[in-house]
């Protein structure tokens, strides 16, 4: 697999590509975000930030709220309390007359263009060939021309090492190949941040390395911000600038991977790592 080509460059002539945040500025901000399901508080007044260009990994036990965080960012869920900002703008709120009110559909859709997500189950469009899986949203959501979208899709397929498969249907590909298409599809929307939720956990073991190689390549050769949930601790160690350890809806410890993996301060982090490493 060849995943070592240069990433497609940003172009300024495309409509609706969201404005980029300068490296190092705050891209994601959770302020006192609480999320409950029934009587169960899953996120408990959660604060955290991710700076532009950084690769942040969320670790923590099953049920600690990691997927919930990503689903809130995708606006598949809304917070019960608190606010989320992306690139300085509220995601599910709008400022009107000096007050914060729930955002309208149009506002949320605009902010959400900054975010792309890859799921555990690839969720490709089964009735579309690989190339069209990647061009569909840029053409219909961003208003790109079909030619420009196809050119970018080809660049991205080269990046994920699948150039020779662009004319196949998803069911004609292995799980690892499908997941690499899903990664290309997310990148085609030029998101500023890529959310990755255990993207290798549904794969046969021999297919995991190929997908992680592609993600390592993207992390090392592009300036995209990544927020990643993974149980692949070696991968997390390789790509992360920061690791956040979650437990019971809060960040209980955070820091550089060398610190979290080698000298965690919290007993809960030590326990968790000894179970997964
Ligand atoms: N739509 C929902 N309705 C009710 N409860 C939910 C819903 N989504 C999540 N939960 C509950 O919220 C808690 C956190 O779930 P979440 O999926 O965020 O955990 P996670 O950290 O991603 O776990 P895992 O490592 O197993 O994927 C769990 O107790 C889960 O059962
Ligand atoms: Mg999860």
């Amino acid at each position: 697999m060849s995943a070592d080509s240069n990433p497609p460059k940003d172009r300024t002539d495309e409509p609706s590509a969201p404005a980029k945040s300068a490296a190092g500025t705050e891209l994601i901000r959770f302020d006192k975000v609480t999320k409950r399901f029934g009587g169960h508080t899953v996120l408990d007044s959660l604060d955290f930030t991710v700076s532009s260009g950084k690769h942040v990994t969320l670790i923590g036990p099953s049920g600690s709220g990691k997927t919930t965080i990503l689903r809130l960012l995708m606006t598949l869920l809304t917070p019960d309390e608190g606010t989320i900002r992306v690139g300085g703008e509220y995601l599910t709120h709008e400022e009107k007359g000096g007050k914060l009110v729930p955002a309208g559909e149009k506002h949320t859709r605009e902010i959400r263009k900054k975010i792309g997500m890859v799921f555990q189950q690839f969720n490709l469009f089964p009735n579309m060939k690989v190339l069209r899986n990647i061009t569909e949203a840029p053409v219909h959501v961003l208003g790109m021309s079909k030619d420009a979208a196809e050119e970018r899709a080809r660049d991205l397929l080269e990046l994920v090492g699948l150039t020779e498969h662009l004319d196949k249907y998803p069911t004609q590909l292995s799980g690892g190949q499908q997941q690499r298409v899903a990664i290309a599809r997310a990148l085609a929307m030029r998101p500023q941040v890529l959310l990755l939720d255990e993207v290798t956990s549904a794969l046969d073991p021999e297919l995991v390395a190929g997908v992680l190689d592609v993600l390592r390549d993207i992390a090392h050769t592009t300036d995209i911000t990544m927020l990643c949930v993974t149980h692949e601790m070696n991968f997390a160690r390789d790509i992360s600038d920061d690791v956040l350890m979650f437990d019971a809806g809060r960040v209980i410890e955070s820091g550089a991977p060398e610190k979290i993996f080698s000298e965690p301060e919290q007993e809960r982090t030590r326990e968790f790592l000894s179970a997964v490493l």
Side-chain angles (χ1 to χ4, degrees):
M1 180 191 53
S2 75
D4 55 359
S5 55
N6 287 328
K9 293 279 183 290
D10 270 328
R11 290 152 57 136
T12 51
D13 57 343
E14 284 162 10
S16 299
K20 295 195 73 174
S21 299
T25 59
E26 190 178 276
L27 184 56
I28 295 173
R29 180 178 199 94
F30 275 53
D31 266 318
K32 302 202 169 5
V33 171
T34 294
K35 181 68 196 170
R36 300 182 194 92
F37 292 112
H40 179 36
T41 301
V42 174
L43 301 182
D44 183 8
S45 200
L46 175 69
D47 290 326
F48 80 95
T49 60
V50 177
S51 296
S52 187
K54 296 290 182 194
H55 308 137
V56 175
T57 302
L58 310 178
I59 62 170
S62 180
S64 60
K66 304 178 300 291
T67 295
T68 300
I69 289 170
L70 302 189
R71 289 172 63 84
L72 284 164
L73 278 164
M74 288 300 285
T75 66
L76 298 168
L77 296 171
T78 46
D80 293 308
E81 287 159 33
T83 57
I84 299 169
R85 273 175 274 185
V86 179
E89 296 185 271
Y90 289 104
L91 179 63
T92 57
H93 295 80
E94 276 179 283
E95 282 172 304
K96 277 199 178 143
K99 281 173 87 178
L100 267 192
V101 297
E105 177 71 13
K106 185 164 173 281
H107 171 87
T108 300
R109 209 181 315 124
E110 273 312 303
I111 308 301
R112 227 187 54 71
K113 280 185 188 165
K114 298 177 184 181
I115 305 170
M117 182 157 175
V118 181
F119 299 86
Q120 191 175 335
Q121 304 292 345
F122 338 119
N123 298 343
L124 295 176
F125 306 122
N127 56 332
M128 294 180 195
K129 289 181 175 174
V130 164
L131 192 69
R132 180 134 172 251
N133 257 280
I134 301 172
T135 59
E136 187 69 4
V139 169
H140 291 107
V141 180
L142 296 184
M144 271 174 90
S145 72
K146 191 162 167 271
D147 284 352
E150 285 195 359
E151 190 185 329
R152 175 151 174 80
R154 284 171 201 273
D155 287 347
L156 287 165
L157 283 170
E158 198 180 328
L159 179 72
V160 301
L162 288 176
T163 301
E164 68 274 33
H165 298 290
L166 58 84
D167 210 23
K168 290 189 175 161
Y169 285 99
T171 49
Q172 296 173 293
L173 301 177
S174 74
Q177 289 168 335
Q178 289 186 55
Q179 192 58 297
R180 286 187 273 145
V181 175
I183 293 166
R185 185 178 63 172
L187 292 176
M189 291 293 281
R190 299 185 181 289
Q192 290 185 27
V193 56
L194 187 62
L195 309 179
L196 301 161
D197 193 4
E198 296 191 37
V199 297
T200 57
S201 57
L203 299 177
D204 291 337
E206 72 272 20
L207 301 176
V208 169
V211 172
L212 294 182
D213 281 350
V214 163
L215 291 173
R216 274 194 189 90
D217 199 48
I218 291 166
H220 293 142
T221 63
T222 77
D223 56 6
I224 198 163
T225 308
M226 287 178 159
L227 183 56
C228 179
V229 174
T230 185
H231 292 298
E232 297 286 341
M233 295 299 158
N234 287 329
F235 170 71
R237 208 189 284 253
D238 284 355
I239 65 137
S240 305
D241 296 299
D242 264 314
V243 177
L244 307 183
M245 169 71 193
F246 271 87
D247 194 32
R250 287 176 175 254
V251 179
I252 61 161
E253 178 160 14
S254 66
E258 307 81 61
K259 171 181 169 283
I260 300 290
F261 291 120
S262 307
E263 308 165 1
E265 282 168 16
Q266 301 290 329
E267 182 54 33
R268 188 74 191 89
T269 311
R270 274 195 285 277
E271 261 173 39
F272 171 74
L273 290 173
S274 66
V276 296
L277 282 176

